[in-house]
Every structure is written in C-alpha cells, then in structure tokens.
Amino acid sequence: TKDKVIYISTFSKSLFPSCRIAYLVLPKKLLAQYEHLKNKEGNTVPAHLQKIVANFMESGSFERHLNKMRKVYSRKLKFILEKLKPYEDQLQIDGALAGMHFTLTVKNGYSMDQCLKNAANNQLKILPFYHYDKNQTSVKFILGFGGIPFSKLNDHTNALINSLCL
C-alpha cells in the first residue's frame, strides 16, 4: 500500500519446474524507471508458453490449482509433523508454515557428519542449512516435502527419523 515492496518470483514451483517463467512486481515509481533501463534481461520464454500461462491465470484455473495444492501440501505437512511429534525433544522444527519446506535442528547431540552418514545409509537426501547460511553452526537442515508423493511420505519420514533421532 506504500509502494515500498518489490516482489520477484517464478512459476516453477506453482506450475512445473521447466516452466522457467519469472516475474517482477514493482512499485509504480520504480516501474517507470525499470521500463527505461537499457540493459534489461531479455525475454527467453517462448511466446506460446507465456500465452498458455496467461490464459490459465485469466480463466481462474491457476487460482483453483493453487487452492488445491495448498490443501495437498497442508495434508503432507500435517502428516510429517504428526510423525515427528514424539521426537520433539530431539528435533526443533521451524518455518513449517512457509510452504513446501521447513527447517529441522537436531538437538540430541548427533553431529552433522553423523546425520549425513545416517541419511545416506537410509537413502535420504537432506540438505544442511549451512549451504544457505555459511555462519550456521548448529546441526540444521532444510527439508522440502512438496515433491514427495503422499504414497511415499511415510517411508521418507521414517528414513528421516532413523537418520536424525536416537
């Protein structure tokens, strides 16, 4: 409302990863400056794909898709959190309302190396948070769950518990 927010995003997660359409929403006074820039990024997205996404949005289908997917992700997250509840003395969950991922801090004394070795033994791919924050010293991971089919969620959650919990 105060024209102070710049919003940058893509449709890669909300539609499909190969969509490769990004967008920028600027306050009005910055938009005018942006339109006069000489070296703006060139448009590499095919026109037909832009038209398909525009039609998808104009028809209301995109909004219906987002609402449906919010329910799917909410159901997945609820399942994971319920399975992890007995281990809340060993695991600290943060950012669970952020979308399709959350962070998990291991509080039981396991080292980063131990957790990563356990995860590999359980065929689980987990990403240490220090990839995003080089100053991170705790045993912390960022976990995405959006791409895991619900039919495999139990196995993935069990692998997570077996990897990070005593």
Side-chain angles (χ1 to χ4, degrees):
T1 58
K2 296 183 177 154
D3 274 348
K4 292 184 177 185
V5 175
I6 298 171
Y7 188 73
I8 304 169
S9 193
T10 71
F11 291 106
S12 295
K13 283 189 178 180
S14 58
L15 290 178
F16 52 95
S18 62
C19 181
R20 303 297 231 197
I21 295 178
Y23 56 92
L24 176 68
V25 179
L26 295 170
K28 288 177 183 151
K29 58 186 174 179
L30 287 180
L31 181 59
Q33 292 175 0
Y34 176 79
E35 289 172 344
H36 291 94
L37 287 176
K38 291 181 183 175
N39 297 321
K40 287 187 282 196
E41 183 66 33
N43 184 6
T44 58
V45 179
H48 71 278
L49 185 55
Q50 293 179 55
K51 185 68 172 166
I52 290 168
V53 172
N55 289 341
F56 190 61
M57 294 175 79
E58 288 171 0
S59 71
S61 296
F62 182 61
E63 187 173 349
R64 286 190 297 278
H65 168 71
L66 288 180
N67 289 335
K68 176 184 172 187
M69 295 314 295
R70 280 186 193 107
K71 290 176 187 171
V72 169
Y73 297 136
S74 176
R75 188 172 154 230
K76 286 181 180 183
L77 179 60
K78 183 178 178 184
F79 179 88
I80 295 167
L81 295 178
E82 283 298 316
K83 292 266 308 184
L84 295 179
K85 195 171 188 86
Y87 304 94
E88 57 189 14
D89 60 325
Q90 298 183 54
L91 304 171
Q92 178 181 323
I93 299 167
D94 292 302
L97 301 177
M100 298 178 283
H101 66 277
F102 57 90
T103 62
L104 200 56
T105 305
V106 179
K107 306 185 304 182
N108 60 16
Y110 274 4
S111 68
M112 180 64 74
D113 288 340
Q114 196 171 12
C115 290
L116 292 173
K117 182 180 175 192
N118 291 348
N121 290 340
N122 285 290
Q123 289 82 46
L124 180 69
K125 182 181 176 183
I126 54 177
L127 187 63
F129 198 81
Y130 63 68
H131 285 283
Y132 297 98
D133 180 358
K134 299 296 181 196
N135 297 319
Q136 183 65 46
T137 57
S138 60
V139 182
K140 186 174 183 177
F141 300 92
I142 185 160
L143 300 167
F145 59 88
I148 303 170
F150 204 86
S151 62
K152 296 183 179 181
L153 204 54
N154 190 53
D155 291 339
H156 280 263
T157 308
N158 286 337
L160 182 65
I161 291 166
N162 291 334
S163 299
L164 304 182
C165 298
L166 299 173

